[in-house]
Each structure stands twice: as structure tokens, then as C-alpha cells.
Amino acid sequence: MPDLLIELFSEEIPARMQGKASADLQKLVTDGLVEAGLTYASAAAFATPRRLALSVEDLTATSQATREERKGPKVGAPDQAVSGFARGAGVDVANLEVRADKKGEVYFAVIEKPGRPAAEIIAEVLDKTVRNFPWPKSMRWGAGSLKWVRPLHSIICLLSDEAGAEVVPLEIDGIDAGAETQGHRFLNKGAIKVTGFEDYEAKLKQAHVYLRPEERAEMIWHDATNQAFAQGLEVVADPGLLAEVAGLVEWPVVLLGKIDETFLGLPPEVLQTSMKEHQKFFSVKDMSGKIVQFVTVANTETSDGGATILAGNQKVLFARLSDAKFFWENDLRVAKAGMDPWLDSLGNVTFHNKLGTQKDRVERIVALARELAPVVGADADEAAEAARVAKADLSSEMVYEFPELQGLMGRYYASNAGLSDAIAAAAEEHYSPLGPSDDVPTAPVSVAVALADKLDTLTGFWAIDEKPTGSKDPFALRRAALGVIRLVLENAERLNLAIFLIRAERSSRDDVLYSRMRKVDEDIGNLEYRIAGERNADIAEKLDETIAALKNERVELLNQLGGERAIESGLVPDLLSFFHDRLKVYLKDQGVRHDVIDACIAMPGNDDLTLLVKRAKALQATLETDDGENLIQGFKRANNILSQAEEKDGVSYEYGADPKFAEHDAERALFTALDEADRVIKPAMEAEDFGTAMAAMAELRGPIDAFFEGVQVNADNDIVRRNRLNLLSRIRSTCLAVADLTLING
Amino acid sequence: MAETPRSFQGIILALQSYWASKGCAVLQPYDMEVGAGTFHPATTLRALGSNPWAAAYVQPSRRPTDGRYGENPNRLQHYYQYQVIIKPSPPDLQALYLGSLEAIGIDASLHDIRFVEDDWESPTLGAWGLGWEVWCDGMEVSQFTYFQQVGGHDCHPVSGELTYGLERLAMYVLNVDHVMDMPFNDPQSPIPLTYGDVFKQTEEEYARWNFDVADTETLLQHFKDAEAECARILDQPAVDPKTGKTIVMAHPAYDQAIKASHVFNLLDARGVISVTERQAYIGRVRALTKACADAFVQTPAGGAAA
């Protein structure tokens, strides 16, 4: 059985795309082969910077012949029906067979597909694969129309068995498949002719190409750690970087280089980020954990043992770090002087054109953080100061250069400005949590600023009606809401979100008006300038009208800003329900049922998320017990009977149940049980001990069941009936203490 | 192998003669302030349409935000790019490019030359392409791009574009640590001049002007004027009433787009453009270049039937 070797040789493939591309090649080709009726024993795909390769072993030499019979129209059916059937089956009308059926003579099509040679199938499959390859981004080149990740130069497509190797005849956009490839761009000259996969891999190695990415990665890591170890150093592990670097070289050569002493005073994150982002260097630390050297991986061997390459890399690093040092030192000067210029320049940076500048936003966050502070146990002044400087580093040169260092640099700069550790920490931590698995800050000042930041973002975008829709969430508002939820829950903060949302909304809306006002002023200025130079009277008149309209709007805006205005926008309830939706997703991941959450959201105080979740957890735990499950049945039964009676009678049975009208033991027992439950539930509710309250309710299950078993609620005696309905009402009000059980499924 | 150049200009001359020998028309710099060699109409406009094209040229380029008063070893607000554009991109463009490195003395048997993914995009030109930044021993020495779209038009055929950052490349070849110390002419000349002799003072002057002095009101006005003039030029009827000929003024209009783009860069350096405004400005410049590209493809050079 033959083996198949495919190589697609191109100009350099981006490192980050190689892994998926080799997997795609394997899947598309092998799926195609199997679909066409071939089988194979095993397949493996590989990538280097310049090639994708696929080896398929023990491929069947021809596909199975197939025979299919299809039943068609009756003989005598309209010609159109017959010819349509034949066309659909891919058979000539003349070749249709006539067979006797139960109802008469019927046409049959016999579709016979002979086995096809593997080569023919491979050619088709590879052509289709290349033309439809799922590159994240692909391109055209020259005057051709084929698309590939970078220009495709040659194709190996080779079937080989004991008898020898044969090229599969194939041509794609002017490229003929062959048996030749190229080795290393610099360390090998001339084409390499191969006879099969083993030969291919071996000859590539001779030509200075390691075909297997994991082999290259292992070599790099092995050599890097060995060289570092020999000097008493340790390479900082970075699997992402290792995979990337392995995709940048066909012949890895590890070189260990020194970082000039001038730069060792830079924050380690800056060193590491600069080296990794710009140069793809690994950081190497000494025993004290300080980054002192780097590892670079060259793609070639040189006669001087890499000395020129290393010197060059060191020089580049020197320049890069000079830049970083320049930024750091400039930034430190500003930081030590209190960061005022940065804070001012936030006023030149628009946050959103309808929501004002970053400075406006910072002012809103300061006000909100101050109010949140006492609630989360932070000092109000400290929280306000932390909010004031939290975004300062956005104006710094380092963050301009390395946006991923935002926050972290803020922490360094706040410290250098002489601010407290709590404020410095908040500068870094107030962005957190960024994702569902990101750590949540716990320091009170950080929590206050982080909450203020996110609540402001949410109310701001809600105020200008930029809510997330479907899969679109350009301002990451879902993430912000989840951040608030996690900050509150994981720190067990007790706060009524609605209060803070109302405050945040007010300042957001003020800034929306101010921003519009600034825009109106700017537009008036521009139009007046234009009108001054306008010679066409018609246009001038139109401009005049526009200016007049803008001036009217200005007056209107002034009135709105000046007057006391009630905000009845529905923003807060809408935003709260957005929070609740996010909370459902969050709790669902923790195994809390949807209906459980709904039942708790229906309770008062649902903007206190910690309280809400306490209810939900207690309810969920109860529902997981038999008693809980049955309690729901009992409760629902009571509630249904009661609701029907209330509807029918047009009254509500709310109080007045009296044990003296009880006629039945089960009835009396229920009174007692309810009294006992109330004795437990009341203090438990006051202590927000929902677990105990729910457990006490679950205890009612037995008495309720017994009641329904032994007692007819709708008794003939009206007094007895009314008393029983009032008793059901007691069940209802007791059971609704923790959550709205009517919303529980089942 | 050719003799290794000994000066900045030696490297420029070596590139000029190399690409001339490979059949490129050696053009001269465009006589306007641009941010990069790509803005030269020989690249931006000529990448459009079906006519074959091969050109190489030096383009003085300005990036006001990169000014460092001549103090940073390799950041300048005014620098030179070397630009090569060939349409359609030849199959051996990588080899041709490596030949140019050899011509300026970069020996591939001693250095580590790498093609590292870099998708090129110019929001102001409405252009994008795929390619690499080329690294020599970890130093980015060139941009290598296959243009896919310019001014919103798909490129058919595709142009291959090479851009060399001349100062950085030359510093590396000449083994100089600070750009200002780099020999501009041959160090053996009767009057040897360094890069600093030529440019140190201007870097200082422009850095001060770019960052702190340029009048933002005036610049904002320049921007609006260039925008208006560009639109006005393109609004003219295709047939010139005076000569009776069809003359679509793509290039004069494009000059205004270049002007607007540079003014925008200056405003950016003055720090008066916010993140969101940035997007708006970039969109306005893109609208101009797009309109110019639309006009160019109606001209004979743009491949329109004469």
C-alpha cells in the first residue's frame, strides 16, 4: 500500500499560523481522501517557516468500486420526469433499466462508480484543499489569482511504495507538483529530490531544516536552559514565546547574551516586555530573580559561532532599552513631581465623543469612588485620591510605547509620586478583574476604584445608548458587568447597586450634555468662520440657518444643565436587569439553576448582589434535598388552590387563620408546624441566614403533604373553608420569605 | 561581492545602482512632506491599475512624534526611506531583496536574516498588504509587502514593495552606535561630514517646533483647506474647458491628501488630537486618498483605456 507525501513550499508563513495550518492540511486532505473512498493507516502533518508537510501512510491504491440502484418513475411517465430522473442519477436515459414492480414497470438507474486510482483522487483533493485553505488571512501575488498565506512556490505530491516513488500529476495556478524542495535558505544551496517521507525528513535535516516544530522547540528549550544553567542562571519559562520562536526558525541556534548594566535598574516587567514584544528574546534571571541576560534564537550557523549575530542582537537590544530607559526616566520625573501634567493631558484625550474626555471620566470616577469607599471599608479620601491618579499612566511615555503595561506602570509611578501603597496598588488593580479567571482585587481602596471605574463605564455607555447587542460588545460592557459582579461577590461586599447607578447616571448625563455643548460651540465657531469666507449668498443663508439652530440648541442645553431635572430614563432598572442577566450566566457556570436565580431576583433588594446570591445558594441547596423538592410541590399546590379561590371569591385570604376552627388532626399539625417554622424563620431572616430559613421551610413538607392528604380545603362549611384558605395563605407567605417559589420549575 | 560601503551615502548609492541594475527606474524623492516612502505617488498611485511598473527611490520622510532633539541614538523626526516597488511582484522578489543586502555588505553567511510576519496597513491610505519585517540579527532592516489593496481598490496585479529604513540599516552596516556619529560622506573625504553635521541642528529645531511651537489653530486650518481643495479639484469636470482634453487631476488632488496627512501628523505631535478624534481624522484623510485613487484609475497611467 502506497504512502503519500505532500509539501507546500512557500515564502515565510507567520509563526502563529503554522500549528493550525498543518492541522488543517491534515484534516482537509485526509477527510477528502476518505470521502472519495480511500482508507489509510496513519497521517501526520508538520510545519516550518517555509513549508507545510503531510505524510499519509498505507493509503489504499484505488478506491472501492461502488454500485447504487435508484428507483425512478413508472414506464409511461412524462418524458420530462424520466429524463430528469436520469440526469439526477447521472445516467443516460438509454441506459435506464426497466424492471417489474408491484404496480407495473418502473425505471431503475444503476449507478456504477468504478474504483479510482489514488493519484487521481489525491490530485483533486489537494487542488481543492489549496484553493480553499482556511488561512486567517491570505493574499495574492504577482499577476496570479491563487490565494495563499504568502506566495506559494512549489508542491511535492508523491506516492511511493516498494516499487518506487511517483509524482502525482497535478497543477495549481501554474505550479506543477514534483518531487523537489528547498532546504535552509542560507545553509543549503540547490534543490533536494526526495522519494518518500522518511527520505524527505532525513534530507531536510541534512539540508539544515528540522521538520518537526516540537523538535525545534525542545532543542531551543534544552539548549537555552543548559547554557543558562552553566552560568548559574535560569531562563524564564514562556511557552507561548517558545512556540512562536520555534515557528521562526528551521535550524535553531541558541545564543545567550548580556543585558547592558545601564538597564538593570529598569522594572523587570519593562525589560521582559520590551525583549519579548520587540525582539522575541527569552528573559534569563539570576538566582535572586533579577533579569540579567537574554536568549535569542538564530536561524543559522555562522563561521564565527554566532558572534556577529549576538553582537547585532545586543546592539538592537541596547537601542530598544535605551528607548525604554528614556521613557522611564522622563516618566519618573513627571511622577516624582506629582503627575500633574499627565492628569492635565487626560483632558486632551477624548474618552468618547459623547461622554467627554478621560479627565471628565476620571472626575466621575473620583466622585463615585469616594461614595463607594465607606461601603467597601476604604478611606474616602484615599479612595478618591487613588481614583484621581489611577489613569495617570495612560499619559506616560512607557504606556504609550507598551500599552500592555498600563496599570502596572501606574503602580510604579504612584509609588514614586510618594502616594500610599494602597493608592499605588489601586492604580494597577482597578482594571481587574479583566476576565472570568482573572484575580479579583481585595484591598478596599482597589475595590472602590475598580467598582467606580466599571460602574461609570456602564452607566456612561447606557446613557448614550451604546449597549451590547447580540455578539457585538465593542466597549466590553459585559466584561465590565461581570467585573462588578465578581468584585462584589468575591469580597462579599454589601451594597445596593441601584443607589450608585443613580449617582453615576447623573454625572454621566451631565457630561453628555457638556460634551454636546462643546461640540455645538465648536460647530458654531467653524460655521461662522466658513460664512465669513462664503461668497455664495444661498450657501451663506443656509449656513446662517444652521448656526441659528445650533444657538437654539445651546440655549436648550444650558437650560437642561442649569435646572433641577428629574431623571426618569429607566436606565437604572434596565442596567440592573443587565447585571442580573450577567449574574445568571456567572452563577450558571457555578451550577446554580436558572429558575433559582429568577426566584431570588424577584425578591426585594435584588440590587444587593451578595444578598441575592446568598438567597440563591440557600434555595439551590434546599432544592437538592428530597424535602426541598417536595416542599415546592406542596407549596405550589397550596398556592394554586389559594389563587383559584381568591380569583373565584374576589377576595384575598391573607390573615385570620385560627387553629380553633381546625377540624382535622393534619390541619392542627400544620398550624403547629407553621408556628414552629415561623419561630425559626423570623430570626433567621433577620440574620440573613437563608439556609436555616429554607431548612425550616423544608420541615413543613411533611405536615403540608399530610394536610393535603387528609383535608378537603373546599369544605362545605364556609367558615372552615375560609379558615383553611387562610391557612394556605400562611404556607404561601412563609414559603415566600427567601425566594419567589412560584418561579421554580417542576 | 561589491565593496562594503563606508558611508551613509555610499549605502544609498549602492542601493541605487543595485536596483538600477535589476531594471528599476531610479526616481527622485517626492517634493512634499510625507510620513513614509509609500506616500510617494510612484507607489501609492502606481500600485493601482494594470500597468506594469518598477521604480526605486529615496524618500525623505517625516514623523514629528519621533523627534528626540537629535539625542536618541536612532530616533529621528526626519529620516530617509529607500523604496522599491515592482508590479507585478516577481517570483524571485525575496532573492532580489537579499541580493540588495549583499550589495550593501550584509553577508548572509555571517548574519541571521529573517522574515518575520508583519501585516502592513495604512489607515490613511486605505491600503493593506501582507508581508514581513525583515530582521538582520534581530534588527528590523526593511519592510517587505505584497500590496493587496490601495485607496480601497484591490491591487491587480499585486505590487511588491520594499522599504528600507536607511539610517538604521546604515548604522548597522557601518557599525555605528549613534545615528549622529554616522559618516554621511566618505570619512576619507577632504571635508568628512557626519550625519550629525548635517542633521543634528535641524532635529533640535524641528523637535521644538513640532512638539511645542507649531500653531495648532493654523494647522487645523491647513487641514481643512487641504481637504476642501482636494475635493474641489476632484469635483472639476474631466474635460478641461480650455484644452478640450480629458484631464483628470488625480495627482494635484493627491498632493492635497498628502498635505492633510502631514498636517494631521503635526497635530498629533502637538498632542491636541484625542484617541477618538484620531480615528475621525484618519477617516478624513482616507476619504481623500480614496477619492484620489478613484480618480487615478480613470487616467491612462491608472490603466484606463486612453
Side-chain angles (χ1 to χ4, degrees), chain A residues 285-301:
Chain A
K285 55 188 181 182
D286 66 13
M287 285 304 141
S288 70
K290 202 169 158 188
I291 293 170
V292 287
Q293 298 208 20
F294 67 88
V295 160
T296 182
V297 183
N299 185 34
T300 193
E301 275 169 4

Side-chain angles (χ1 to χ4, degrees), chain A residues 11 16 140 279 297 315 350, chain B residues 114 117 138 146 155 175 274:
Chain A
E11 298 178 13
R16 67 189 170 89
R140 292 171 289 103
Q279 301 303 134
V297 183
K315 186 178 276 191
T350 306
Chain B
R114 223 90 71 71
E117 178 192 12
Y146 292 100
C155 298
N175 195 23
S274 67

Side-chain angles (χ1 to χ4, degrees), chain A residues 630-648:
Chain A
N630 288 314
L631 173 72
I632 297 296
Q633 304 310 324
F635 163 78
K636 286 204 165 171
R637 193 165 169 193
N639 190 45
N640 286 341
I641 294 168
L642 184 57
S643 301
Q644 278 162 18
E646 284 182 329
E647 197 173 326
K648 186 172 153 224

Side-chain angles (χ1 to χ4, degrees), chain A residues 355 364 456 459-460 463 504-513:
Chain A
L355 287 169
R364 297 195 298 267
D456 176 75
T459 50
E505 178 186 7
R506 184 161 303 141
S507 45
S508 288
R509 289 201 184 278
D510 279 349
D511 282 350
V512 170
L513 293 174

